[in-house]
Amino acid sequence: MYVASEPSLRIPPAFRRALARRVRRVAPVLRISPVQRGTVAIRLVGEREMCRLHRDYYGARGSTDVLSFAPDAGDDLGDIALGWRSIVAQARRRGVHTLDEASLLAVHGLVHLLGHDHRTHRESLVMHRLERRALDVISVRDIARPYHHR
């Protein structure tokens, strides 16, 4: 598990270490093996980089809070990009610590890397159940998901 950030964001190393610790703690609940854990890279990025990634890899305009990049093949899990601006804004709006918000988004990204999605109601229920289980392990309060289909 590796957590990095753009140098310009000036995110303290202690924050990155704490996020990595939390993600390592939820991995067994999500049935992520130690080998797979070692292949996950999480990067905290600024607004410009998140917009670029969103456009280049997903063909979408604007920013988002989390993106997951699964490899084409192999045992690697993949990479996760977390938008720092979104983390700070959403944490402030929800009244939670930025580490909790970053953890919630990292868990969401991990569940995507495991092959889950939220395009249908059924998929979103399965995905949310896995996320809740993982968040309970690290005592992070869950949120209502905007992607739940009616």
Side-chain angles (χ1 to χ4, degrees):
M1 178 67 49
Y2 181 73
V3 177
S5 63
E6 290 181 10
S8 63
L9 296 177
R10 295 192 172 114
I11 298 169
F15 183 94
R16 295 192 311 267
R17 285 192 303 270
L19 180 58
R21 272 193 308 274
R22 284 183 171 193
V23 174
R24 279 193 299 272
R25 284 183 54 210
V26 304
V29 173
L30 296 174
R31 294 193 171 113
I32 298 172
S33 74
V35 171
Q36 287 175 312
R37 246 180 281 163
T39 68
V40 176
I42 298 174
R43 187 157 181 245
L44 298 157
V45 300
E47 189 73 5
R48 179 177 287 148
E49 177 67 359
M50 187 56 97
C51 288
R52 185 191 70 74
L53 292 169
H54 203 202
R55 180 192 67 231
D56 291 355
Y57 292 93
Y58 288 87
R61 292 177 57 94
S63 188
T64 188
D65 51 6
V66 58
L67 292 172
S68 297
F69 304 94
D72 293 332
D75 293 331
D76 291 359
L77 264 192
D79 300 328
I80 299 169
L82 301 178
W84 184 248
R85 183 171 162 191
S86 294
I87 289 168
V88 172
Q90 290 169 188
R92 187 175 297 127
R93 192 169 43 250
R94 291 181 53 225
V96 299
H97 191 279
T98 53
L99 181 58
D100 287 349
E101 187 67 23
S103 300
L104 183 137
L105 294 174
V107 165
H108 182 77
L110 278 173
V111 175
H112 272 303
L113 290 179
L114 293 171
H116 297 281
D117 212 328
H118 42 79
R119 285 184 224 141
T120 69
H121 178 68
R122 177 172 283 199
E123 288 176 331
S124 66
L125 291 175
V126 170
M127 189 166 182
H128 193 201
R129 190 175 318 117
L130 287 169
E131 291 170 348
R132 277 195 324 259
R133 237 182 269 154
L135 293 171
D136 284 348
V137 169
I138 54 175
S139 301
V140 171
R141 189 178 72 193
D142 195 15
I143 60 170
R145 305 298 173 164
Y147 55 77
H148 276 283
H149 298 273
R150 298 196 190 317

